[in-house]
Amino acid sequence: MQLPDGRLFEYSAAGDPDRELLVFCVGTPSAVVEFPYVAEAAAARGLRSVICSRPGYGGSTRNEGRTVADTAADTAALADHLGADRFLVAGWSGGGTTALACAALLPDRVRAAVTMASTAPPVEAGDVWTTWFPPVVVEEIRALTSTPPAELAPEYEQAAKGFAELTGDQLTLSENQSAADRAALIDVPEVAEWLARSIKSAVSSGIWGWLDDDLAWASPWGFAVADIRVPVIVRHGVEDGFVSIEQGRWLAAHIPSARLEEMPGGGHTTVTVPIDPVITDLLQAAGLR
């Protein structure tokens, strides 16, 4: 589709167009590839679903300098394109910030939102925010707010080369995956394979979607999560090796409408595997079940 400002926006929709819409916001880096895992689970609960590539990923035109808040406008335009006045939104990992942006900035359209392993906003959280990341990446996080993007690009380009042959098995064996994550990905291998294909697609046209995503969530978001008034579920694994549980706890404590779902032993992936209870909880939060 074409956005109001002329940018192209890549998406994949599934299900009956007359049903309630679920917007599923994928992680960082990710782009649209066929993902029946979410589409089939949504359809089983009477929903249609859509996933999209944020600007700079896959076939979506880059939006240089974008903020987290900008993703709400893109999502609203997508919902308009699909004829949905109101919708549910779920965001996993890097997509969690998009779900929060929609909840904050589209209160008349979002029925309920769920974040799964989402980061917290650095400005609202304050200095403690950097302590919620592994020490080995703290300097990289600080660089996102102090280094020109052009100087960061070579490091991202080098990392992207390693994605060319990425497989689901490699993701399953990642040292940052908890034991529960590994078990979940082994039990549901289509999720690991989808993640590998989605990551490869994300950087197929360059690294700017990925870098812009990181720049956006490490900078002022353009809204305050404390202003969110729609129902929000914050779902987070206690053993998450990518986004620490402290971030989920902070979000739940500072979003007035939020309910925290901690998963003891859970990691970064187990918040979405299986996906059925996530959708059920989201429907209940929206008053649709």
Side-chain angles (χ1 to χ4, degrees):
M1 63 171 285
Q2 189 172 50
L3 292 167
D5 63 4
R7 287 182 290 118
L8 296 180
F9 197 58
E10 180 181 56
Y11 73 92
S12 176
D16 186 339
D18 293 327
R19 299 293 182 89
E20 194 82 28
L21 178 66
L22 168 64
V23 179
F24 188 89
C25 309
V26 295
T28 301
S30 293
V32 167
V33 294
E34 186 178 356
F35 194 27
Y37 173 72
V38 167
E40 291 173 1
R45 279 155 183 75
L47 301 172
R48 56 176 165 152
S49 60
V50 64
I51 59 175
C52 62
S53 301
R54 287 187 292 279
Y57 285 134
S60 291
T61 308
R62 185 188 181 197
N63 182 14
E64 186 175 358
R66 62 180 166 92
T67 66
V68 172
D70 291 329
T71 61
D74 289 347
T75 305
L78 175 60
D80 289 343
H81 182 71
L82 296 174
D85 291 331
R86 304 196 68 188
F87 54 91
L88 304 161
V89 60
W92 176 55
S93 190
T97 60
T98 297
L100 292 170
C102 291
L105 300 173
L106 305 172
D108 295 331
R109 304 193 66 174
V110 173
R111 294 189 184 275
V114 58
T115 67
M116 297 165 282
S118 176
T119 58
V123 173
E124 285 179 85
D127 292 341
V128 71
W129 187 77
T130 58
T131 70
W132 295 334
F133 294 91
V136 294
V137 301
V138 169
E139 288 307 313
E140 295 176 23
I141 297 296
R142 288 177 175 150
L144 289 169
T145 59
S146 61
T147 306
E151 294 182 21
L152 296 170
E155 182 178 347
Y156 279 73
E157 289 167 352
Q158 184 61 37
K161 291 178 182 178
F163 294 153
E165 304 300 326
L166 187 65
T167 66
D169 286 342
Q170 288 174 325
L171 290 174
T172 301
L173 297 173
S174 169
E175 64 180 18
N176 287 327
Q177 301 282 15
S178 70
D181 282 341
R182 293 190 185 95
L185 291 174
I186 290 170
D187 289 344
V188 192
E190 61 265 34
V191 174
E193 290 303 323
W194 169 78
L195 282 171
R197 290 185 291 114
S198 182
I199 290 170
K200 287 190 284 189
S201 177
V203 296
S204 62
S205 56
I207 52 85
W208 288 107
W210 180 16
L211 180 51
D212 288 344
D213 250 7
D214 285 353
L215 290 168
W217 62 253
S219 303
W221 285 9
F223 62 93
V225 299
D227 294 335
I228 294 175
R229 292 297 181 269
V230 304
V232 174
I233 301 168
V234 177
R235 188 174 170 89
H236 218 108
V238 175
E239 304 300 324
D240 193 325
F242 295 92
V243 181
S244 67
I245 183 62
E246 284 81 4
Q247 305 220 32
R249 289 169 177 164
W250 187 95
L251 285 170
H254 291 81
I255 298 172
S257 59
R259 184 179 88 236
L260 177 62
E261 290 186 358
E262 285 194 22
M263 300 180 65
H268 198 68
T269 304
T270 44
V271 290
T272 66
V273 181
I275 194 68
D276 299 46
V278 177
I279 297 175
T280 298
D281 284 353
L282 188 56
L283 286 168
Q284 290 175 342
L288 298 175
R289 287 292 186 276

